[in-house]
Amino acid sequence: MTKLQGRELYNSIGNPKRIVAPMVDQSELAWRILSRRYGATLCYTPMFHAKLFATSEKYRKDMWSELDGDDSKDRPLVVQFCANDPEYLLQAAKFVVGKCDAVDLNLGCPQGIAKKGGYGAFLMDDWDLIYKLINKLHTELEIPVTAKIRVYEDKQKTLDYAKMVLSAGAQFLTVHGRLREQKGQKTGLADWEILQYLRESLPKDTVFFANGNILYPEDITRCLTKVNCDAVMSAEGNLYNPGVFMKESADLEKQFPRVDQLLREYYEIVKECPGNASKIAMKSHFFKILRPFLPHHTDIRQQIATCTPKHKFEEIEQIVINVEKIVQEIFAKPDIEELDKITTGEQQLWGGAYKTIPYWRCQPYFRPVDGVTGDKRVTDALKQKEEGKTAEVVESTSTEQDKNNKRRAEEELDNESKKQSN
């Protein structure tokens, strides 16, 4: 087996542009198969715990099946691990050799469990350990290693960090343009400016993936253009609408699929997937697919809430059937063509534009905090920032004008004095 590196590795997997992000219990096999049908050209597995994967056969069976990494259904594929021990990381990675194209080290998880376990984004405080983890795989594993990081507030520190990760042996670098502190209610907007800075400052042959701020298919094109990255990764955008990976030229039915049709398609995939991971994740995916639909049909929400992995497929399918009946009734309305329209609003300060999408179609989720949705918080924050810049310019201009007026007054007084002297 030839161990490919960098650009050669990227070319060998087809130069993917649209990537399903590694997500805890969410980017499992069934979801990856579905996402590939909707435009994803590279997928990452969920974040696996390296020590558990290395030492627990039960954990491996729950997380991994004979169909994961299948040549015809699940490639190209990168398997992601969180770790803080190089030996356990290597042991875990050896289990997936031959079933993936690379192994990724998670350096971006900001959640409390990562802080408690000492992995993910909380390794940002220990560069020596990060180097050892990556370099262990780079020098001893038969397949390549990659890494996914977050940024610091300081651009130069982030650049130095990225260079260290690459020097340790990472063949792809994925950068999530948010700080470690930006999570949950503090998520905010990812910083494409720092992504652009890193792309321009790193060696030109670096394979660079950008992550953050993907709501609609056109945002992928914007990001590719703005950052000049090789590919764009999406996590939450993909979870609520797999169609986010469709090209802008694709039919709107694929960009914003009907929830009933997507739910049925996903459910049929889960039924064919071996192992436990896809079945365990199904309930969560049902909630996310149907997120805009459930406030209008709370009875469906209750049906999903009572489901467990122990339920038979026939029982779960009844939920799918109920959703199908409701949406079919909606599409039987005489004015459905008018009701089913998708409209695009004005361009926002963040560069894109929000869309108004019927609740029976998949769409982004703007998580509310204290009753204010994420899109409104971002817009207001950017307006305040813009107003602050304007105020600074006005103040600066006023100060400069004051200086000029003072200088002219002094010159006039000086000239007057000279005249009187003469």
Side-chain angles (χ1 to χ4, degrees), residues 170-404:
Q171 303 305 312
F172 299 163
L173 182 68
T174 303
V175 185
H176 187 157
R178 290 186 173 92
L179 307 174
R180 181 171 66 189
E181 294 74 25
Q182 286 183 276
K183 60 182 180 179
Q185 296 185 3
K186 299 179 180 179
T187 298
L189 207 62
D191 186 351
W192 284 8
E193 297 293 336
I194 197 168
L195 297 182
Q196 184 181 32
Y197 168 76
L198 292 173
R199 172 67 278 184
E200 292 172 350
S201 303
L202 290 169
K204 299 302 180 187
D205 62 345
T206 302
V207 179
F208 188 95
F209 300 157
N211 182 204
N213 295 358
I214 304 302
L215 299 175
Y216 309 109
E218 57 262 38
D219 294 328
I220 292 178
T221 302
R222 284 198 313 110
C223 188
L224 287 167
T225 303
K226 169 73 174 178
V227 178
N228 193 28
C229 51
D230 292 289
V232 176
M233 177 181 283
S234 175
E236 193 165 83
N238 162 254
L239 278 180
Y240 289 94
N241 178 21
V244 75
F245 288 125
M246 295 302 300
K247 292 182 178 179
E248 295 160 69
S249 59
D251 192 291
L252 286 177
E253 290 289 336
K254 295 290 279 186
Q255 291 187 47
F256 304 97
R258 283 169 42 173
V259 295
D260 59 325
Q261 294 175 348
L262 190 82
L263 197 69
R264 168 61 70 179
E265 189 173 3
Y266 169 64
Y267 167 76
E268 295 297 335
I269 294 171
V270 175
K271 285 202 304 183
E272 300 302 318
C273 287
N276 296 323
S278 293
K279 294 179 180 64
I280 291 170
M282 184 164 48
K283 179 176 179 177
S284 178
H285 283 303
F286 270 38
F287 271 122
K288 289 179 174 63
I289 292 170
L290 296 171
R291 199 281 316 162
F293 183 85
L294 295 178
H296 300 269
H297 301 281
T298 54
D299 55 324
I300 302 293
R301 175 191 286 158
Q302 184 59 33
Q303 290 169 32
I304 300 172
T306 57
C307 279
T308 72
K310 293 181 180 179
H311 275 68
K312 294 179 179 179
F313 274 115
E314 294 76 20
E315 297 173 283
I316 296 171
E317 185 174 14
Q318 190 57 52
I319 296 172
V320 180
I321 292 170
N322 292 341
V323 172
E324 288 174 329
K325 286 180 179 177
I326 293 170
V327 179
Q328 284 167 9
E329 289 173 4
I330 292 172
F331 273 80
K333 293 181 178 180
D335 57 345
I336 186 57
E337 285 191 17
E338 186 64 29
L339 294 173
D340 196 39
K341 284 185 177 178
I342 296 172
T343 59
T344 303
E346 296 180 356
Q347 183 174 326
Q348 301 294 313
L349 291 170
W350 49 267
Y354 296 116
K355 295 181 185 295
T356 302
I357 304 166
Y359 74 81
W360 50 83
R361 291 192 178 276
C362 295
Q363 55 193 275
Y365 174 42
F366 303 104
R367 186 176 291 105
V369 176
D370 297 330
V372 182
T373 58
D375 53 334
K376 183 73 163 56
R377 292 198 309 276
V378 166
T379 302
D380 289 348
L382 287 172
K383 281 182 180 177
Q384 289 175 7
K385 187 176 180 181
E386 203 63 26
E387 289 169 359
K389 285 182 180 178
T390 303
E392 287 176 11
V393 170
V394 170
E395 184 179 349
S396 174
T397 302
S398 299
T399 303
E400 194 62 34
Q401 287 176 342
D402 290 343
K403 287 180 180 178
N404 290 337

Side-chain angles (χ1 to χ4, degrees), residues 86 99 146 417:
K99 297 299 295 286
T146 66
S417 297

Side-chain angles (χ1 to χ4, degrees), residues 66-82:
E66 63 271 20
L67 199 56
D68 285 83
D70 180 81
D71 285 336
S72 63
K73 295 182 179 294
D74 195 30
R75 298 291 279 273
L77 179 69
V78 176
V79 177
Q80 191 190 67
F81 291 103
C82 65

